[in-house]
Amino acid sequence: MIIIMTKTLYCITVKSFFHFLFTVMKRKHVLACLLAAAAVSIPSTVSAQSSESSFRIGLGTALSFTIPNDDNSPVYYNSIVPELLLPIDVADYFRLEPVFGIAQGTSKSESANSSGTQTRTESVMRLGLGLIYKKMLNSSFQMNIGVRPSALFFSNKQEEGSGQSTSTSTLSNTAINIAGTFGGEYFFAKQFSMGVEAHINYLSQGETSREPADPNASKQTYSAIYSSTFLTARLYF
């Protein structure tokens, strides 16, 4: 009886040992799979973090300079000082940069005998978007190449007063400007840079709208190719 019980206990012990060993091996297999999955996911996570780190936004300003042939041409009014920049670095090599600018000037004159006055208000607004390829040439200097399409809205309002009567007339039109740009920016710090861009522009202006309407007015359009320069300062967050 004792011998039989001893054999039975021995068989149960051996069976339990191999069952335990098999369970551990299965768990090790699962653990190995988990470790392998973690090893695969870590580079992906690092890559994703690296891709995310290339995204940043900023705020900047630009001084625009042109050399027009005629001070009354749309090219002249295309020079708005200053303009607001919103650089958005969406990838290591690509930037979106919305541009907004507005300028307004008012002049007032009186006749020699003070019998009448004339007030003239001119304004121009630009809405644009820069599509920029960028590349760091060294630790401090970045090259920028791209295109800057924009829409310009012009307005010229004249008010003439004589005695108690006043007349108002308004001229308005819209132009499309496409600029090819080449330049760069120098980083004085990781979050601050200053730069310069050379632009070759094509401007096309449509017909002028008049209020009140003048049926005898001639219909004219305007187009020009000209150069300009951007001086920029940007602060990144």
Side-chain angles (χ1 to χ4, degrees), residues 110-136:
E110 294 184 1
S111 60
N113 56 7
S114 300
S115 61
T117 61
Q118 183 184 69
T119 303
R120 180 178 179 180
T121 303
E122 296 178 319
S123 63
V124 57
M125 181 177 68
R126 181 210 298 273
L127 294 174
L129 178 65
L131 307 172
I132 307 298
Y133 168 81
K134 60 190 183 73
K135 183 177 182 180
M136 294 296 298

Side-chain angles (χ1 to χ4, degrees), residues 129-228:
L129 178 65
L131 307 172
I132 307 298
Y133 168 81
K134 60 190 183 73
K135 183 177 182 180
M136 294 296 298
L137 299 183
N138 54 45
S139 60
S140 300
F141 185 77
Q142 176 177 285
M143 177 183 66
N144 298 330
I145 303 175
V147 61
R148 294 186 179 275
S150 61
L152 296 108
F153 306 92
F154 305 97
S155 177
N156 186 329
K157 182 179 180 181
Q158 292 188 6
E159 295 180 346
E160 296 182 358
S162 178
Q164 295 181 352
S165 63
T166 302
S167 63
T168 302
S169 62
T170 303
L171 305 179
S172 59
N173 50 46
T174 303
I176 300 298
N177 190 86
I178 301 176
T181 175
F182 174 79
E185 53 189 300
Y186 183 84
F187 286 85
F188 294 90
K190 187 176 180 180
Q191 287 80 26
F192 178 72
S193 73
M194 297 186 71
V196 62
E197 296 180 9
H199 294 175
I200 298 296
N201 302 266
Y202 172 75
L203 183 141
S204 177
Q205 178 182 286
E207 295 180 0
T208 300
S209 173
R210 292 174 169 81
E211 294 182 8
D214 184 1
N216 298 321
S218 60
K219 297 182 179 181
Q220 295 181 345
T221 58
Y222 180 91
S223 63
I225 297 176
Y226 65 100
S227 62
S228 61

